[in-house]
Amino acid sequence: LLHQDTYLVNGELKKWTGETSKVYSTISSTEHYEPTLLGTIPTMGEMAADEVVKSAVAAYDKGQGIWPTMKVSDRIKCMEDFVTQMKATRSEVVKYLMWEIGKSLSDSEKEFDRTVEYIYDTIEDYKELDRNNARFTKSQGVNAMVRRGPLGVVLCLGPYNYPLNETFSLLIPAIIMGNTVIFKPAKHGVLLISPLLEAFRSSFPKGVINIVYGRGRDVASPIMKSGKIDILALIGNSKSAIALQDQHPNKNRLRLILGLEAKNPAIILPDADLDLAIQECITGTLSFNGQRCTALKILYVHETISAEFNKRFAEKVDALPFGNPWEKGVSLTPLPEVEKPNYIQELIDDATIKGAKIINQKGGERTENYIFPSILFPINKQMRVYHEEQFGPVIPVLTFKDIQEPLDDMAESNYGQQVSLFGRDIKTIGPLIDTLVNLVCRVNLNSSCQRGPDVYPFTGRKDSAVGTLSIHDALRSFSIRTFVASKDN
Ligand code: G3H
């Protein structure tokens, strides 16, 4: 059991003596199913919120603090020190990724390694940014040295599906650009931050990074209400993002960097390589049980190949092995949210009442912490699963006759992150791409949707995102362009 009885404030791991909350895993460690108690975390509220806000504000000191005025090379040294210490925590963090969120061993290891790589790449990009900025250039009679400066205090909230990688893709650029940060880990994926606390504490000057625990409404709301937050950086759901913005007394001062919901479609054209399309749709819909903002969440299959696609896709889905995250070759793993199987069941019931069928044999089979992926066909717009971001193992499939049908649906959708397009004829695909890039931000040709590599923009249109999070863009999102002008030659 891990009793996290400290929190990070003012450069100190301060003892928490108040109430605590239990952290459970939906994975059972006994033969007769019961959730496993993993540990406890502090249940923080207004007083702790006030304390961390004061700490972050003091460290920023209206732009005059040690951190925002520190030489770039020294800030980089702090970040290098952090990542060196972080690497030593790999096995422990991976263990918590498996237990807390049910991510398979190989995916947990990937998440850890990818995060370390993200930090190194951020450091390199930051050096490059600084090299390009730190010299005078003359334009229209004015010598100017353009620099990127910090914006202030950042509240950083990450999601449970990538509690390390996604969260750090906010946290790391926010810190390195000279801002100070308050970070509240996700509800599932919170204990895995514990092994990193000492690295955070010892690598950065006091108050640069502050870590709190508790429910959003108890601790994040008062932080926003303080009016001291300059950037709200959140990857999660729109509802929380809107609620938090609304708490801020002066929204004009608040910059938003948000990664939100998506309903990424796959469009499978009549001439698609079906083997490839099916394989990519398996990965796209079901990797980490579909709990990815980048997952494929609705499949449009041309009516001429629909029967063949459904048959082969259903067989492949039924063959996916389910097991605990550390079991070899496992593909489907327990769902970390205890209520998720019931939600998925609701979507299935709603769709089947309205005319869809589960077309794979094992679809909807239940255990205590899982519901086997269901392929629902045919879907229509009256069904909840057509509209809602399921974020779990249920796959809505529909057919189309004319390509304009999925295009119109995408244009009407509230979301606009990515699309996967499967087909071979370049004369069809070429003009389609020109339209698709105006509906979403990434078009994946003959492959499923995904975030990486982080050299490319990660963003979305409409309700899917605010701001862009490639490494390059994130450094810019968390800073402001300033310049020193001189008329001297
Ligand atoms: O949930 C959104 C993540 O950024 C997905 O990343 O596409 O690499 O799984 P991924």
Side-chain angles (χ1 to χ4, degrees):
L1 288 188
L2 196 162
H3 295 294
Q4 182 52 52
D5 59 356
T6 57
Y7 60 109
L8 183 56
V9 63
N10 277 316
E12 182 197 344
L13 284 170
K14 196 169 165 186
K15 190 93 184 151
W16 174 255
T17 51
E19 273 179 48
T20 58
S21 323
K22 291 182 171 140
V23 179
Y24 286 97
S25 170
T26 60
I27 304 170
S28 179
S29 45
T30 60
E31 227 168 81
H32 302 292
Y33 182 80
E34 55 178 328
T36 305
L37 179 65
L38 298 178
T40 56
I41 51 162
T43 315
M44 296 182 152
E46 260 175 60
M47 266 167 64
D50 185 52
E51 199 185 4
V52 286
V53 167
K54 285 199 174 112
S55 165
V57 166
Y60 191 67
D61 194 14
K62 300 190 170 79
Q64 299 173 78
I66 293 172
W67 188 247
T69 57
M70 189 180 271
K71 265 188 9 212
V72 166
S73 54
D74 289 340
R75 249 192 245 152
I76 287 172
K77 271 191 212 127
C78 295
M79 194 55 88
E80 284 170 344
D81 181 23
F82 173 75
V83 71
T84 306
Q85 291 190 57
M86 176 178 168
K87 283 194 287 186
T89 67
R90 186 176 189 262
S91 59
E92 216 176 340
V93 172
V94 164
K95 181 181 78 189
Y96 280 105
L97 273 166
M98 291 192 288
W99 275 97
E100 282 195 84
I101 65 162
K103 191 168 276 193
S104 70
L105 173 63
S106 65
D107 283 352
S108 296
E109 286 174 343
K110 260 188 234 152
E111 175 162 358
F112 188 92
D113 297 342
R114 174 180 174 182
T115 309
V116 166
E117 196 185 320
Y118 187 93
I119 301 176
Y120 280 121
D121 289 349
T122 300
I123 291 172
E124 284 315 305
D125 227 76
Y126 184 43
K127 285 182 190 162
E128 182 67 22
L129 178 72
D130 187 56
R131 260 196 300 279
N132 292 337
N133 288 339
R135 54 180 171 192
F136 275 94
T137 51
K138 194 166 184 177
S139 186
Q140 302 196 356
V142 176
N143 281 308
M145 183 167 66
V146 179
R147 281 196 289 205
R148 287 243 150 220
L151 283 151
V153 179
V154 182
L155 174 61
C156 177
L157 304 161
Y160 81 81
N161 62 337
Y162 281 91
L164 197 67
N165 184 63
E166 292 268 279
T167 308
F168 278 44
S169 75
L170 302 171
L171 204 55
I172 298 301
I175 295 175
I176 209 165
M177 291 312 294
N179 304 287
T180 61
V181 176
I182 301 168
F183 162 42
K184 188 179 91 62
K187 180 177 168 200
H188 307 285
V190 52
L191 294 175
L192 60 86
I193 298 299
S194 300
L196 295 162
L197 287 176
E198 177 53 25
F200 275 125
R201 191 203 63 77
S202 60
S203 306
F204 301 106
K206 75 170 192 179
V208 170
I209 166 89
N210 304 274
I211 300 181
V212 282
Y213 299 91
R215 287 186 307 188
R217 74 186 98 131
D218 297 335
V219 70
S221 294
I223 290 172
M224 290 304 285
K225 278 188 194 149
S226 72
K228 303 288 185 198
I229 297 300
D230 300 288
I231 304 181
L232 172 62
L234 175 149
I235 297 183
N237 64 68
S238 314
K239 216 168 123 201
S240 318
I242 290 169
L244 287 168
Q245 287 168 54
D246 284 346
Q247 315 270 353
H248 199 290
N250 183 357
K251 287 203 210 43
N252 287 348
R253 269 181 66 169
L254 185 65
R255 181 178 284 200
L256 298 174
I257 301 167
L258 308 174
L260 304 169
E261 293 91 348
K263 188 90 184 171
N264 295 337
I267 303 174
I268 301 151
L269 300 171
D271 67 340
D273 173 339
L274 221 49
D275 287 335
L276 176 72
I278 288 169
Q279 194 45 54
E280 290 294 313
C281 285
I282 296 276
T283 325
T285 53
L286 290 176
S287 120
F288 194 41
N289 294 302
Q291 301 168 116
R292 297 158 60 230
C293 62
T294 49
L296 286 174
K297 300 202 178 92
I298 189 157
L299 309 183
Y300 288 85
V301 186
H302 194 265
E303 59 174 15
T304 53
I305 50 167
S306 159
E308 176 73 3
F309 177 90
N310 283 355
K311 183 174 163 285
R312 286 163 58 188
F313 186 55
E315 280 165 10
K316 286 246 179 205
V317 168
D318 280 344
L320 294 172
F322 171 80
N324 284 326
W326 45 86
E327 286 167 29
K328 212 164 175 231
V330 81
S331 173
L332 307 169
T333 47
L335 300 169
E337 294 176 297
V338 85
E339 63 282 9
K340 185 56 81 63
N342 289 340
Y343 167 67
I344 298 291
Q345 187 66 55
E346 274 177 32
L347 294 181
I348 294 171
D349 293 346
D350 171 76
T352 47
I353 287 168
K354 294 171 182 163
K357 285 200 165 56
I358 298 178
I359 61 166
N360 57 319
Q361 272 179 15
K362 290 169 77 179
E365 279 179 10
R366 287 287 292 264
T367 58
E368 287 81 353
N369 54 7
Y370 201 61
I371 178 160
F372 198 87
S374 308
I375 308 169
L376 292 171
F377 178 84
I379 292 307
N380 64 48
K381 290 184 188 173
Q382 275 64 54
M383 299 172 185
R384 284 175 59 190
V385 74
Y386 173 87
H387 300 277
E388 294 176 27
E389 188 200 39
Q390 63 269 40
F391 220 76
V394 58
I395 310 166
V397 182
L398 61 165
T399 58
F400 68 95
K401 197 185 184 88
D402 186 322
I403 186 63
Q404 199 54 43
E405 295 163 36
L407 295 182
D408 286 344
D409 288 358
M410 287 172 71
E412 271 168 33
S413 166
N414 290 330
Y415 306 117
Q417 192 201 65
Q418 304 188 23
V419 64
S420 289
L421 180 64
F422 295 92
R424 295 191 229 233
D425 178 15
I426 197 69
K427 284 198 222 77
T428 316
I429 291 175
L432 252 182
I433 292 173
D434 294 338
T435 305
L436 288 170
V437 286
N438 289 344
L439 299 174
V440 292
C441 289
R442 174 167 169 164
V443 178
N444 300 279
L445 292 177
N446 294 311
S447 68
S448 61
C449 299
Q450 59 186 298
R451 173 177 173 146
D454 280 305
V455 288
Y456 296 113
F458 178 54
T459 184
R461 296 173 185 274
K462 300 186 264 188
D463 294 345
S464 284
V466 178
T468 305
L469 285 173
S470 69
I471 291 171
H472 176 91
D473 291 299
L475 292 178
R476 285 151 184 85
S477 299
F478 283 98
S479 61
I480 189 163
R481 234 170 146 218
T482 64
F483 73 107
V484 184
S486 153
K487 288 205 170 164
D488 302 335
N489 279 317

